[in-house]
Amino acid sequence: MTSCCSPGREPARTPVTVPAPPYRIGLTAEAVASPGRHDPAAPPEGMVTIPGGTFLMGGEDPDGWAADGEGPVREVTLRPFLIDAMCVTNAEFARFAEDTGYRTEAERFGWSYVFHLFADRRHAIDGHVPGAPWWLAVTGATWRSPEGPGSAVASRQDHPVVHVSWNDAAAYAAWAGKRLPTEAEWEMAARGGLARARYPWGNELTPDGAHRCNIWQGRFPHADTAEDGYAGTAPVDAFLPNGYGLYNTSGNVWEWCADRWSTDWHTAGSSRTRIDPQGPPAGTARVVRGGSHLCHDSYCNRYRVAARTGNTPDSSTGHTGFRCAATPRRVFA
């Protein structure tokens, strides 16, 4: 895992300063294992059907990160599935929180990670992320106040919700009757039907000079020129969708997947790693995919579709969100 991409919580920074009240409904991290099943004749609003089949997963890009376990390129076969066309928005997460009384882990811990250019340093907790001083642990940073006290999401209702942990994402998915996508499902959907392309739209980052994703332009980490139109997060439907109709699977925010993180579990070919893989059976971290608006090729080009990293399931940042998946009922007929 790479702290510069997605910093994780550390024991020294995890005091719960505000008591967590009981939830009105019981949602647990294990709820993600419950398959969200939907009628394939009428996919839920906002979801697209991915037909399944065999695709080439992984990458061997010369500028890739072999230590992250991006390779080998391998044939993986999946059953049909449903996946959200867009990441879960602030507006959607607000409905979940209002309906259930759920409080995210950032709210219960009392802090979350904020990029230094967006943070009010008066609320920063002492300490820094090794090798990534641009991350600050900020008291009061939550999905409701992404930059900390005084910030809000009123003007960002159509932006992806951030400062959500894997556990928070799993709880939302269970409430919505869905689940988190497996890493294989996420990558198949993100590729949009293209084989071995670097990006969801092809091999050129800016075809004909057009920006196709929200990443960092300028000198990282000091100045983002926002040539793509955005400094910080963008609306979930910004830019053109890929061939399957998914938006922003490169850049904008990292997206949680169901799988536990490993750099080598998938390297050995077996039915567990090649046919509807669910990830390794054990591990302390979870996979995140897609890169974010903070990615820049000077240090982290993980907006490539094969790129991957992971983080602890209680971690949250200002550039990590999620989308949901579901299994069509007919698969179980």
Side-chain angles (χ1 to χ4, degrees):
M1 292 179 289
T2 305
S3 62
C4 64
C5 289
S6 196
R9 291 194 186 276
E10 299 175 13
R13 298 187 194 148
T14 57
V16 179
T17 57
V18 180
Y23 307 144
R24 291 201 295 270
I25 62 174
L27 292 174
T28 65
E30 288 73 20
V32 76
S34 303
R37 302 181 186 179
H38 293 272
D39 183 353
E45 183 179 357
M47 301 194 86
V48 298
T49 301
I50 307 300
T54 299
F55 80 109
L56 293 175
M57 183 173 180
E60 295 171 345
D61 298 328
D63 59 346
W65 299 78
D68 289 347
E70 292 184 10
V73 176
R74 66 254 184 216
E75 289 190 346
V76 172
T77 301
L78 299 180
R79 296 177 295 177
F81 61 96
L82 304 170
I83 193 166
D84 289 343
M86 308 173 199
C87 283
V88 173
T89 65
N90 285 312
E92 290 168 327
F93 200 83
R95 287 194 289 272
F96 159 63
E98 181 179 358
D99 186 52
T100 65
Y102 185 85
R103 297 186 71 213
T104 62
E105 292 195 288
E107 291 173 292
R108 287 178 279 143
F109 281 119
W111 66 272
S112 188
Y113 282 111
V114 179
F115 188 68
H116 75 114
L117 293 183
F118 304 143
D120 184 337
R121 291 178 180 269
R122 293 176 300 176
H123 303 293
I125 301 172
D126 289 342
H128 67 278
V129 177
W134 46 84
W135 283 113
L136 300 177
V138 173
T139 301
T142 71
W143 72 273
R144 300 178 189 272
S145 302
E147 291 77 52
S151 63
V153 296
S155 63
R156 290 176 274 183
Q157 292 296 292
D158 60 348
H159 285 225
V161 65
V162 293
H163 295 296
V164 285
S165 68
W166 185 93
N167 295 319
D168 300 330
Y172 175 96
W175 169 80
K178 302 178 184 180
R179 56 178 173 80
L180 293 182
T182 67
E183 184 176 13
E185 288 175 335
W186 188 96
E187 184 170 326
M188 182 185 220
R191 289 188 174 278
L194 300 180
R196 301 195 69 171
R198 287 173 60 84
Y199 310 110
W201 55 85
N203 289 314
E204 293 185 42
L205 180 59
T206 53
D208 297 323
H211 290 283
R212 299 294 300 271
C213 63
N214 178 22
I215 57 177
W216 188 281
Q217 290 91 40
R219 186 168 59 92
F220 186 87
H222 304 293
D224 182 359
T225 61
E227 293 171 21
D228 56 27
Y230 303 96
T233 59
V236 295
D237 61 352
F239 306 99
L240 295 173
N242 71 7
Y244 286 145
L246 273 69
Y247 292 82
N248 294 341
T249 52
S250 281
N252 213 23
V253 294
W254 285 99
E255 300 180 26
W256 289 110
C257 293
D259 301 36
R260 292 180 173 86
W261 168 259
S262 171
T263 59
D264 59 10
W265 176 82
H266 59 280
T267 58
S270 71
S271 60
R272 293 197 309 163
T273 63
R274 301 295 186 264
I275 301 175
D276 290 310
Q278 304 295 305
T284 58
R286 298 284 177 165
V287 172
V288 287
R289 296 294 301 262
S292 82
H293 61 90
L294 298 179
C295 284
H296 186 267
D297 62 8
S298 66
Y299 87 101
C300 172
N301 62 352
R302 289 181 175 87
Y303 43 84
R304 294 169 298 104
V305 74
R308 60 196 300 267
T309 191
N311 209 345
T312 56
D314 63 349
S315 293
S316 61
T317 71
H319 73 335
T320 302
F322 68 101
R323 73 181 72 213
C324 298
T327 303
R329 288 184 185 275
R330 63 184 171 192
V331 172
F332 295 89

